[in-house]
């Protein structure tokens, strides 16, 4: 428990034991579930948290309240890692008023049987809620990343409660670069909804924001333009880092060798940064992150069962699900008797928006030969050309 401002108290909890977020994203440093209390003439609790930390959260909530009872529970997002304790909260504080939008309250009974027991206040875009000297203004943010999501701006302390936006993987006591895990979090969880994030950024642009309080990750108080700019790049599917990302799927190591040779060729031609990933062994969420981060990508894969080696197929499926778009792609395929990887990759890319595929596909038959090196040299030049 700590003070964000004189009147806003953080009561979120770190979960060091969680290994997979949403049962799919690997966590090296656990996860933070954020929750806040605004103390004023009226008290507003900003979200509950995941049931994994129920007892710790209630203990900090009681300490923050100092014997008083909360007047409002603001429900910005119904996902269980935030809304998991709404039922117990209403049992403990039956006189509380739940604050949400129409979609919140349509979804609430799917999780909890609390509606007959407590009052509710339905808000819409631009509505305000006065707590005394503090006032919340509500912004609807549908599909960032559920349809009922809303966010709040508190104008006295100039705090923006951003729901899942501006969040990241990792606990608050983890000392690590914000952008790395925020980027992986964004593209794998929110990435499909770039248009909705762009709409939100336009809505909040006029606000005087001094602090951003997300539902995961650290409270942001410094260099906010940096964080806002990254969100603008990410949500507009722009290029964050000038360079090339190579993703390869290799059965016996020969395609891996080709990918590594391509990296050397690109670097020799002056590419400022070349990142490379083994799709069979590396975290797929990090590979998705890098595919969005760079504007140019090399996909190198073995042919397999008349298609493409499955780690590449899985990777392409993830990219399509996250609305991958606006990139330039070079393809290297390997096939000992009937190469099929390039055909399969191109078919998958046809279902994505604004993808430019280089004409010079390189086909390797089993092992890299001198003529393949020559072809990769030409492919590298085509990929790097503006």
């Amino acid at each position: 428990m700590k003070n964000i401002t004189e009147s806003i108290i953080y009561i979120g909890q770190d979960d060091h034991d969680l290994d997979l977020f949403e049962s799919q994203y690997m966590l090296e440093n656990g996860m933070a579930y954020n929750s806040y209390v605004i103390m004023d003439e009226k008290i507003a609790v900003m979200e509950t948290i995941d049931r994994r930390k129920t007892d710790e959260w209630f203990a900090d909530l009681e300490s923050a309240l100092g014997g008083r009872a909360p007047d409002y529970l603001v429900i910005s997002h119904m996902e269980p890692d935030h809304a998991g304790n709404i039922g117990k909260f209403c049992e403990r504080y039956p006189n509380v008023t739940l604050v949400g939008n129409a979609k919140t309250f349509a979804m609430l009974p799917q999780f909890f049987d609390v509606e007959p027991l407590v009052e509710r206040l339905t808000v819409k875009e631009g509505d305000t809620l006065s707590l005394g000297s503090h006032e919340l203004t509500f912004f609807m943010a549908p599909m960032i990343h559920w349809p009922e999501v809303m966010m709040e701006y508190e104008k006295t302390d100039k705090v923006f409660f951003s729901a899942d936006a501006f969040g990241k993987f990792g606990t608050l006591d983890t000392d690590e670069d914000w952008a790395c895990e925020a980027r992986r979090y964004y593209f794998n969880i929110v990435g499909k909804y770039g248009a909705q994030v762009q709409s939100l950024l336009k809505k909040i642009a006029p606000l005087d924001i001094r602090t951003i309080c997300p539902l995961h990750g650290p409270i942001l108080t410094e260099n906010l333009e940096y964080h806002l700019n990254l969100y603008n790049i990410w949500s507009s599917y722009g290029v964050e880092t000038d360079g090339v990302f190579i993703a390869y799927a290799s059965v016996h190591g020969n395609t891996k060798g080709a990918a590594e040779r391509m990296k050397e060729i690109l670097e020799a031609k002056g590419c400022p940064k070349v990142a490379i990933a083994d799709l069979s062994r590396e975290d797929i969420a990090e590979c998705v992150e890098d595919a969005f981060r760079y504007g140019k990508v090399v996909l190198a894969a073995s042919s397999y069962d008349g298609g493409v080696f499955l780690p590449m197929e899985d990777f392409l499926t993830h990219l399509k699900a996250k609305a991958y778009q606006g990139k330039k792609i070079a393809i290297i395929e390997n096939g000992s008797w009937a190469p099929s990887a390039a055909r399969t990759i191109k078919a998958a890319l046809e279902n994505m928006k604004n993808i430019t595929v280089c004409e010079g596909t390189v086909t390797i038959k089993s092992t890299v030969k001198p003529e393949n090196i020559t072809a990769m040299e030409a492919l590298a030049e085509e990929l790097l050309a503006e």
Side-chain angles (χ1 to χ4, degrees):
M1 188 178 76
K2 64 179 180 180
N3 278 66
I4 306 302
T5 69
E6 185 176 336
S7 302
I8 300 176
I9 303 170
Y10 176 84
I11 57 167
Q13 304 294 323
D14 279 342
D15 186 348
H16 295 93
D17 299 324
L18 188 66
D19 61 337
L20 288 177
F21 184 70
E22 293 188 349
S23 296
Q24 59 181 320
Y25 301 115
M26 292 190 292
L27 298 175
E28 291 187 5
N29 297 306
M31 198 69 183
Y33 314 118
N34 295 347
S35 174
Y36 311 88
V37 180
I38 304 176
M39 302 295 295
D40 205 327
E41 295 172 21
K42 299 286 188 178
I43 297 174
V45 177
M46 310 298 287
E47 319 305 327
T48 71
I49 67 168
D50 194 282
R51 288 172 292 185
R52 291 172 58 88
K53 291 293 179 178
T54 295
D55 294 341
E56 297 92 330
W57 180 73
F58 272 117
D60 279 354
L61 172 60
E62 287 291 321
S63 179
L65 293 173
R68 295 176 64 186
D71 297 280
Y72 301 105
L73 173 63
V74 178
I75 307 171
S76 298
H77 185 17
M78 279 298 303
E79 200 166 5
D81 54 324
H82 308 301
N85 281 289
I86 290 177
K88 290 186 177 181
F89 185 92
C90 292
E91 292 174 4
R92 186 171 296 204
Y93 307 110
N95 295 321
V96 75
T97 296
L98 302 181
V99 182
N101 56 66
K103 292 178 180 178
T104 308
F105 292 120
M107 196 176 290
L108 187 66
Q110 297 173 193
F111 292 93
F112 305 103
D113 296 323
V114 300
E115 287 194 272
L117 305 177
V118 295
E119 295 293 325
R120 66 181 187 177
L121 174 64
T122 304
V123 296
K124 60 184 183 302
E125 181 76 26
D127 282 355
T128 60
L129 175 63
S130 176
L131 304 176
S133 62
H134 294 76
E135 182 180 270
L136 294 172
T137 301
F138 296 92
F139 295 87
M140 301 301 112
M143 300 319 301
I144 310 175
H145 59 118
W146 279 23
E148 86 301 352
V149 172
M150 66 182 189
M151 302 176 187
E152 302 80 34
Y153 176 67
E154 199 293 297
K155 68 176 185 179
T156 299
D157 289 337
K158 306 183 188 320
V159 174
F160 182 52
F161 295 93
S162 62
D164 271 339
F166 302 99
K168 65 178 282 293
F169 297 121
T171 59
L172 265 62
D173 60 5
T174 298
D175 183 15
E176 63 184 358
D177 176 65
W178 179 86
C180 181
E181 286 296 69
R183 186 188 303 107
R184 186 166 73 99
Y185 176 91
Y186 174 86
F187 283 118
N188 286 280
I189 295 175
V190 188
K192 181 178 180 179
Y193 305 107
Q196 289 85 347
V197 176
Q198 283 283 297
S199 177
L200 171 71
L201 292 175
K202 290 180 174 64
K203 285 197 287 188
I204 68 173
L207 301 178
D208 181 9
I209 299 173
R210 305 290 176 84
T211 302
I212 297 177
C213 289
L215 291 182
H216 296 295
I219 291 84
L220 305 177
T221 58
E222 298 179 355
N223 202 11
L224 297 187
E225 283 301 316
Y226 166 76
H227 300 89
L228 290 164
N229 182 58
L230 280 180
Y231 253 65
N232 183 49
I233 294 171
W234 296 345
S235 59
S236 61
Y237 303 98
V239 177
E240 180 188 348
T241 301
D242 184 18
V244 175
F245 173 54
I246 301 174
Y248 68 86
S250 182
V251 178
H252 296 296
N254 291 312
T255 304
K256 174 184 177 181
E260 291 174 338
R261 186 60 184 268
M262 189 64 169
K263 181 177 185 292
E264 295 171 359
I265 292 170
L266 288 164
E267 289 171 337
K269 292 184 179 297
C271 185
K273 183 174 177 60
V274 183
I276 189 167
D278 181 351
L279 296 176
S280 297
R281 291 171 173 81
E282 297 187 31
D283 176 15
I284 195 69
E286 287 194 6
C287 297
V288 168
E289 169 195 347
D290 278 339
F292 278 94
R293 179 178 183 175
Y294 297 88
K296 298 173 181 178
V297 175
V298 176
L299 301 178
S302 304
S303 301
Y304 197 82
D305 284 345
V308 68
F309 190 34
L310 296 180
M312 178 62 75
E313 182 177 69
D314 184 42
F315 179 56
L316 292 167
T317 299
H318 277 77
L319 292 182
K320 183 177 183 297
K322 302 306 176 183
Y324 191 64
Q325 58 188 271
K327 308 298 182 182
K328 189 175 183 181
I329 309 291
I331 299 173
I332 299 172
E333 69 172 350
N334 195 342
S336 294
W337 61 91
S340 56
R343 179 180 70 245
T344 307
I345 291 171
K346 288 177 182 177
L349 294 174
E350 286 174 357
N351 295 316
M352 303 178 199
K353 291 174 57 179
N354 302 322
I355 298 294
T356 301
V357 179
C358 292
E359 294 181 2
T361 298
V362 174
T363 298
I364 298 165
K365 290 192 173 181
S366 303
T367 60
V368 176
K369 299 294 192 296
E371 59 268 25
N372 301 134
I373 301 297
T374 301
M376 283 192 284
E377 292 272 0
L379 182 60
E381 290 182 4
E382 183 183 358
L383 180 63
L384 296 177
E386 297 300 333

